[in-house]
Amino acid sequence: MDFVDGTLHRHASNVEKFFLHRGVELNESRVHSWICSAIKGNVKEIKLYLDQEHPLFIPLSLFTCESLISLQLQTYPSIRLPKYISFPRLKCLEIADFVFSDRSWNEELFSNSPVLEELILDHCKYRIRNFCISIPTLKLLRIDRDFTLNDLNDCALKIDAPSLVTFTYSANVAKQYVLSSFPTLVEAVVCLDSPNNLAEISRLLQALAHVKCLTVNDLTLQAICSAYDLSNNLLTFCNVKMLKISDILTTDQGLIALLKAVPTLESLEFVEYFSDEEENSEVDEDGNDDAEGDGNDDNEDEGDVSDTDSWPLDIVTTGCLFPHLESVCFREIVGNPRELRWVKLILRNAKAWEMMTIRYYNTDLHFVNAKSEKELMVDIPSFPRASAESMTWKSTATGT
């Protein structure tokens, strides 16, 4: 601590980045002095990660620092914001483990940041009725979840960010969404904690209509499947070129629903393996629903389904899912029947595809009816293909 005192005393005017990360008790007066010294020296970037038994008093001058361009603030216990906040040059703001409540929330945090471009809210708690983010200059917004303490479902989330380019939402469903249109949106990640509150999920997804690269998790797919009347095509992402499924896939129907909503899709990526638990309604390699797996072979050309299947008979028609698909990547394939049906479906119906990349997932976990890497390298290249392009096999065994 003496070394830090001396260094800041002699060189504070030359310090552009100040980073304090500490998980034990600190002398509050010294922390206060260090931060003030950095601020007086016109520091441009500050990162404070403080885990203490009692809340530290952060100098008020931090929240009116005119030289700051980037601020990362993580304190436990959470601190209360001052009544007046102003960051005239701040472009990047990251707040972690903060508790937003009616007592601690001050919208001036954003309104007095006229050039703010990046806002990250990481594992924050939202014990508040209305949470409003209105930032005309914002280009990146990330709201990350805390699986046990995220209270976003108890508040209304309002976002007005017409210049937004990247949007990441990994949280439970809010009570209400009031979202502006994002005409400049390029990339969106939506990873829901729950497929409930379908009306609000619809509002969230409709605001992302202009996105070009979309990442979703399995629960989001389930929500999409439940929230929309697919026969009326209420959900459409006309600009999506790249689609990524971020976790273990359990729903064939949800994936079909989203694939029908991305008519210009060119790239499809599965980050993790498919669950080997079969759904009531499966998909065969011709793109038809088959409630009995391989039991409806006589009718597969007509896309027949059982009487108990709630999906319309024409939910998947041959060739309609992948008119522009050029590349597919399976990052963790284990070779179970569901995965192979999807590989067959893509190969048989994607006439524009040029490359399929497969990474075999070598794991100690037990998968029912899974095939070995050697078996897959023999079987998959022999599947019928709509494209005349030759297949490029790229397989890497994880952990070897």
Side-chain angles (χ1 to χ4, degrees):
M1 289 191 179
D2 290 339
F3 170 77
V4 178
D5 282 339
T7 301
L8 287 175
H9 178 71
R10 293 188 299 269
H11 304 291
S13 61
N14 297 321
V15 175
E16 292 191 357
K17 299 180 181 181
F18 179 79
F19 181 20
L20 179 58
H21 189 169
R22 193 68 173 171
V24 298
E25 288 300 307
L26 289 172
N27 183 291
E28 185 173 32
S29 63
R30 263 182 159 161
V31 173
H32 190 282
S33 175
W34 295 344
I35 297 174
C36 288
S37 295
I39 293 172
K40 291 178 181 178
N42 294 320
V43 64
K44 295 180 179 179
E45 181 178 340
I46 290 183
K47 300 179 184 180
L48 298 179
Y49 299 156
L50 304 175
D51 188 353
Q52 306 294 302
E53 183 177 351
H54 303 288
L56 284 174
F57 176 70
I58 304 298
L60 295 178
S61 57
L62 173 64
F63 298 97
T64 55
C65 182
E66 296 184 357
S67 62
L68 265 186
I69 295 176
S70 175
L71 173 62
Q72 296 182 28
L73 186 60
Q74 179 179 3
T75 63
Y76 184 83
S78 178
I79 63 171
R80 290 185 62 181
L81 298 176
K83 293 183 178 180
Y84 180 75
I85 297 171
S86 176
F87 294 114
R89 298 182 61 194
L90 193 69
K91 292 186 176 181
C92 303
L93 175 62
E94 180 174 349
I95 302 176
D97 293 326
F98 192 81
V99 178
F100 292 103
S101 67
D102 289 326
R103 294 183 59 196
S104 65
W105 169 233
N106 186 343
E107 292 190 16
E108 289 185 0
L109 176 63
F110 304 142
S111 62
N112 289 338
S113 303
V115 296
L116 189 65
E117 295 182 355
E118 298 183 9
L119 174 62
I120 299 172
L121 304 175
D122 187 12
H123 290 180
C124 293
K125 291 83 179 174
Y126 305 89
R127 297 165 186 169
I128 189 171
R129 287 170 294 180
N130 294 289
F131 188 75
C132 180
I133 301 173
S134 180
I135 310 174
T137 57
L138 196 65
K139 296 181 179 179
L140 181 149
L141 174 61
R142 194 176 83 202
I143 302 176
D144 283 342
R145 61 176 170 248
D146 186 309
F147 288 102
T148 58
L149 297 175
N150 193 328
D151 298 322
L152 194 61
N153 58 342
D154 293 326
C155 79
L157 178 62
K158 302 178 181 180
I159 302 176
D160 183 12
S163 301
L164 200 64
V165 175
T166 302
F167 178 58
T168 299
Y169 186 86
S170 300
N172 52 10
V173 183
K175 179 174 61 179
Q176 181 182 2
Y177 295 99
V178 181
L179 309 178
S180 64
S181 176
F182 306 129
T184 59
L185 193 64
V186 174
E187 182 176 3
V189 178
V190 182
C191 295
L192 300 177
D193 281 352
S194 170
N196 298 325
N197 202 344
L198 301 180
E200 295 308 323
I201 292 173
S202 297
R203 289 176 183 264
L204 173 63
L205 295 173
Q206 287 171 356
L208 310 179
H210 299 284
V211 70
K212 295 179 176 61
C213 178
L214 178 63
T215 298
V216 297
N217 68 340
D218 186 70
L219 284 174
T220 304
L221 289 175
Q222 294 180 35
I224 290 173
C225 180
S226 301
Y228 290 91
D229 178 0
L230 300 176
S231 63
N232 291 329
N233 295 319
L234 296 182
L235 173 65
T236 304
F237 298 100
C238 291
N239 297 326
V240 168
K241 303 295 184 183
M242 301 176 62
L243 175 63
K244 182 183 296 186
I245 312 302
S246 64
D247 62 355
I248 298 172
L249 185 69
T250 67
T251 168
D252 289 333
Q253 296 178 346
L255 180 56
I256 292 171
L258 184 55
L259 288 173
K260 289 176 70 68
V262 288
T264 61
L265 185 67
E266 296 179 358
S267 176
L268 176 62
E269 179 177 346
F270 300 96
V271 175
E272 297 191 37
Y273 57 86
F274 289 30
S275 169
D276 55 6
E277 297 180 3
E278 303 294 341
E279 292 187 315
N280 291 331
S281 175
E282 299 168 358
V283 180
D284 66 27
E285 60 265 31
D286 284 320
N288 303 307
D289 279 342
D290 183 356
E292 300 297 328
D294 295 328
N296 288 346
D297 290 343
D298 293 338
N299 298 318
E300 70 175 12
D301 288 338
E302 288 78 22
D304 205 7
V305 293
S306 70
D307 293 337
T308 60
D309 198 323
S310 61
W311 284 53
L313 295 179
D314 62 346
I315 186 62
V316 181
T317 57
T318 301
C320 75
L321 290 182
F322 316 109
H324 304 288
L325 189 64
E326 297 178 357
S327 66
V328 185
C329 180
F330 294 87
R331 290 197 175 274
E332 289 188 352
I333 200 168
V334 298
N336 63 44
R338 286 188 66 234
E339 291 175 330
L340 295 183
R341 274 194 296 274
W342 275 98
V343 172
K344 290 180 180 179
L345 170 66
I346 294 169
L347 291 178
R348 177 169 290 188
N349 295 290
K351 297 181 179 180
W353 80 271
E354 298 177 356
M355 175 176 289
M356 178 177 287
T357 302
I358 297 176
R359 178 183 176 125
Y360 185 75
Y361 187 39
N362 185 13
T363 175
D364 294 332
L365 298 176
H366 177 68
F367 296 98
V368 178
N369 298 324
K371 292 191 175 185
S372 69
E373 182 179 8
K374 291 183 178 180
E375 290 175 313
L376 294 179
M377 293 181 69
V378 173
D379 291 347
I380 293 179
S382 67
F383 292 164
R385 303 193 295 272
S387 171
E389 295 292 331
S390 61
M391 174 178 289
T392 301
W393 179 278
K394 293 186 178 181
S395 175
T396 303
T398 303
T400 62

